[in-house]
Amino acid sequence: MCGIAGYWSRDQLSKNCIREMTESLVTRGPDNEGVWIEEESGVAFGHRRLAVIELSEAGNQPMISSCDRYVITYNGEIYNHLALRNELSRQFGVIKWRGQPDTETLLMGITLLGVKKCLSRLNGMFAFALWDRREKKIILARDRMGEKPLYYSVTSIGGKRSFIFGSEIKALRCYPGFDNDISREAVDNYLRLLYIPSPLSIYKNTFKLPPGCFLEVTDLKIIPQPEKWWELNDIIKNVSVPPRANEAYLIERLGETISSSVRKQLLSDVPVGAFLSGGIDSSLITAYMQMHSNKSVSTFSIGFEKEEFNEAQHAREVAKYLGTNHHELTVTSEQAKEIIPLLPSVYDEPFADSSQIPSLLLSRFTQDKVTVALSGDGGDELFGGYNRHFLGNKIWKIMSALPYHLRQVLIFLVLSTPIGFW
C-alpha cells in the first residue's frame, strides 16, 4: 500500500503544499517520500512508498519515463509485470530496464502502447496519476474492481482553478481553499447503504474515480466525466461456457482460477502473510497460499475475550490443519474502545462496516511480522453471499413442483416489480 497526491494549478503555491499533502499519507507508505514539481506547468506530484517489489532506490517515486515524456505517481501492484516486460521486449525489441519495479514496467507500457492499451494488459490493483509533459495533460486511472482508492476535486483561489487528487481525502484537505461543503446526496446514500458509493464522497465537490475508469484533464476550466476502460457487464455478456459443462468441470476451473490469482499475488520482495478468520473465504485463500509456498505461511487472527463473539478457535483449527505459522491476538473491550476515536482519521468519510475496529487492530498486530497480508475480503460478495445459496435450494424445491409455464409467469412478475417495492 502506497499513497499518492498531487495537483495541477494556475496559482503559484509553495513547495510546502505538496509536501503537506504527501506527508498526510505517511501511514500508507512509511518507507520513502518523494516529490516532483514542474513549476512552469504548475504541476506537483507526491508519493509515500511502502516498498514491496524492488526495495532499492530504483523503485522510488514519482518516476520519470526513460523518454522523459511522462511522470507517474502510482499506488498498487501489477501482478503480471514480469510477463508484460517480456511481451514488450518481443514486440518492440531490446529494452534497457533501469531496475525491477513494476512502476517502471507500467511507465514503459504507457510509453510504447499508450494509456488505454496498456491498461487493458494490466493484471493487478492500482491507482495512478500520469502527467504528459508533451501534451500538457493529467490522467488518473483506477483498477478494474476499484481495489485502490483515488479521490479528486477542483478548487478555486482568487478565481484561479486547481485540480487536486490523492489516495485519501486527508491529502486533499491539506490543499489551500479545499471545498469542505458536505454532500447531502452522499449522506442520503450513506444512511440507506451504510457506505458512500462511487463517484460520491462526503464532500460536495470531491469525487471517487469509479472502478475501471480513467480521467483525462487537458484544461483546468473544463473537467470531463470519467471514461470506462473496463466494464464487468461486458465480460459477463461475452463469457463462454462449454455447452456440456458440468458442476465438476466448473469447480475445477474455479479452483485453477483462484490458485493462479493467489500465486500471482505472492510476488514480493518482503514477507507475505494472511488474515485468517476461519471462514470459507480466508481459509480458501490461505490454503492456496500454503500450497504455493515452500515454508509455513504466517497467518493472523483476532479473538475476543467474550466467548459469544469469539471465533478464533475456527482459525486455530484451520491453521493447524494447513500447518501455518499462526499468530493470535485476543482483544479486550477496552482495546476496542481506544480505537474508536481514531476511526475518522483512518477512513476519512463515514463508513459503517462493523468489522472496521477488529480490522484495524489486526492490521496493527500483523505489521510487525509481515509487510503484506492477503485476506478473504470480498469473497462472499463475488459469490453472491452465504445465505442465498442455502435459501436457493429451499426455494427451488417449492418452485420445481410448479408447472414450467406458471414458473415463467412468476418470474415475469418478480422481474417487472420495481426495486423500490422490494
Side-chain angles (χ1 to χ4, degrees):
M1 182 171 70
C2 298
I4 67 174
Y7 61 79
W8 183 14
S9 175
R10 297 303 184 201
D11 198 16
Q12 292 297 321
L13 296 174
S14 70
K15 295 180 181 179
N16 289 335
C17 179
I18 185 61
R19 294 194 184 281
E20 289 176 9
M21 295 175 72
T22 305
E23 287 172 4
S24 71
L25 303 172
V26 64
T27 55
R28 298 185 67 89
D31 295 331
N32 182 263
E33 178 186 46
V35 167
W36 177 86
I37 300 173
E38 189 174 82
E39 292 186 3
E40 62 270 26
S41 300
V43 175
F45 279 7
H47 188 267
R48 290 291 327 192
R49 184 184 182 198
L50 179 69
V52 175
I53 294 177
E54 179 61 88
L55 307 185
S56 73
E57 292 182 0
N60 289 346
Q61 298 183 50
M63 186 178 289
I64 302 174
S65 64
S66 58
C67 65
D68 210 37
R69 175 178 174 179
Y70 300 107
V71 183
I72 196 169
T73 181
Y74 148 77
N75 166 33
E77 187 171 355
I78 309 300
Y79 305 127
N80 66 329
H81 93 96
L82 294 177
L84 183 56
R85 286 189 173 207
N86 292 331
E87 288 179 26
L88 293 174
S89 296
R90 286 196 299 269
Q91 187 172 350
F92 296 97
V94 177
I95 297 173
K96 187 176 181 180
W97 301 99
R98 294 173 288 187
Q100 291 295 316
D102 54 349
T103 312
E104 186 184 6
T105 309
L106 176 58
L107 261 181
M108 186 61 73
I110 291 171
T111 300
L112 298 176
L113 301 171
V115 175
K116 289 184 181 179
K117 284 187 178 180
C118 180
L119 285 170
S120 68
R121 301 275 190 94
L122 303 181
N123 179 349
M125 53 178 183
F126 55 86
F128 67 78
L130 182 79
W131 173 244
D132 186 334
R133 303 173 80 177
R134 187 173 74 190
E135 300 291 336
K136 300 298 179 186
K137 62 183 179 182
I138 194 168
I139 298 171
L140 304 185
R142 196 173 178 204
D143 60 65
R144 290 170 173 80
M145 301 301 289
E147 290 184 68
K148 291 300 182 182
L150 189 54
Y151 296 85
Y152 67 92
S153 184
V154 176
T155 69
S156 181
I157 305 175
K160 296 180 179 179
R161 287 163 64 88
S162 301
F163 178 80
I164 58 177
F165 66 87
S167 296
E168 298 178 15
I169 294 178
K170 60 172 62 70
L172 277 61
R173 287 176 60 92
C174 294
Y175 194 87
F178 174 76
D179 185 355
N180 63 354
D181 286 347
I182 299 297
S183 166
R184 288 178 174 269
E185 184 181 3
V187 172
D188 175 64
N189 275 272
Y190 170 72
L191 294 175
R192 288 189 294 114
L193 305 173
L194 304 183
Y195 75 102
I196 299 173
S198 172
L200 301 175
S201 83
I202 191 60
Y203 297 113
K204 187 182 296 184
N205 294 313
T206 298
F207 305 95
K208 302 179 184 79
L209 184 67
C213 284
F214 73 96
L215 177 66
E216 187 173 298
V217 181
T218 58
D219 187 341
L220 290 176
K221 295 179 181 178
I222 303 173
I223 307 300
Q225 291 297 311
E227 296 181 44
K228 278 280 187 184
W229 66 267
W230 184 84
E231 176 59 68
L232 177 60
N233 287 334
D234 293 340
I235 304 299
I236 295 172
K237 290 176 183 176
N238 296 325
V239 70
S240 58
V241 178
R244 295 186 179 181
N246 56 31
E247 185 177 4
Y249 168 82
L250 295 173
I251 289 174
E252 182 181 357
R253 286 292 308 277
L254 177 60
E256 292 170 354
T257 301
I258 297 175
S259 177
S260 174
S261 177
V262 171
R263 178 177 52 79
K264 291 174 182 176
Q265 294 185 57
L266 296 178
L267 177 65
S268 173
D269 294 327
V270 295
V272 180
F275 290 166
L276 179 61
S277 68
I280 295 172
D281 306 323
S282 65
S283 298
L284 188 63
I285 298 299
T286 304
Y288 280 114
M289 287 181 69
Q290 191 60 71
M291 180 190 300
H292 292 298
S293 178
N294 55 13
K295 60 181 181 180
S296 294
V297 171
S298 292
T299 53
F300 305 85
S301 67
I302 197 167
F304 298 93
E305 57 181 355
K306 294 187 176 181
E307 281 303 315
E308 61 265 34
F309 301 118
N310 188 27
E311 297 181 345
Q313 69 275 12
H314 301 305
R316 207 177 304 133
E317 291 171 10
V318 172
K320 183 179 179 181
Y321 176 79
L322 296 176
T324 70
N325 179 23
H326 193 56
H327 307 268
E328 187 177 304
L329 172 68
T330 300
V331 176
T332 66
S333 57
E334 288 304 316
Q335 287 176 302
K337 289 177 184 177
E338 290 172 2
I339 287 292
I340 293 174
L342 304 177
L343 296 178
S345 64
V346 173
Y347 293 100
D348 268 354
E349 58 181 353
F351 179 57
D353 189 335
S354 59
S355 69
Q356 56 185 294
I357 293 176
S359 293
L360 184 54
L361 287 166
L362 182 58
S363 297
R364 287 184 166 187
F365 174 58
T366 302
Q367 69 178 359
D368 293 332
K369 300 174 180 65
V370 298
T371 305
V372 177
L374 304 188
S375 76
D377 278 0
D380 50 332
E381 288 86 356
L382 285 173
F383 289 93
Y386 290 130
N387 293 334
R388 68 180 60 197
H389 297 297
F390 298 106
L391 294 174
N393 286 330
K394 294 180 180 179
I395 293 172
W396 175 241
K397 287 179 181 178
I398 298 172
M399 292 290 289
S400 60
L402 300 176
Y404 173 79
H405 294 294
L406 180 56
R407 294 204 303 266
Q408 293 299 305
V409 172
L410 290 174
I411 291 171
F412 173 78
L413 293 174
V414 169
L415 293 177
S416 62
T417 304
I419 294 175
F421 172 83
W422 298 114

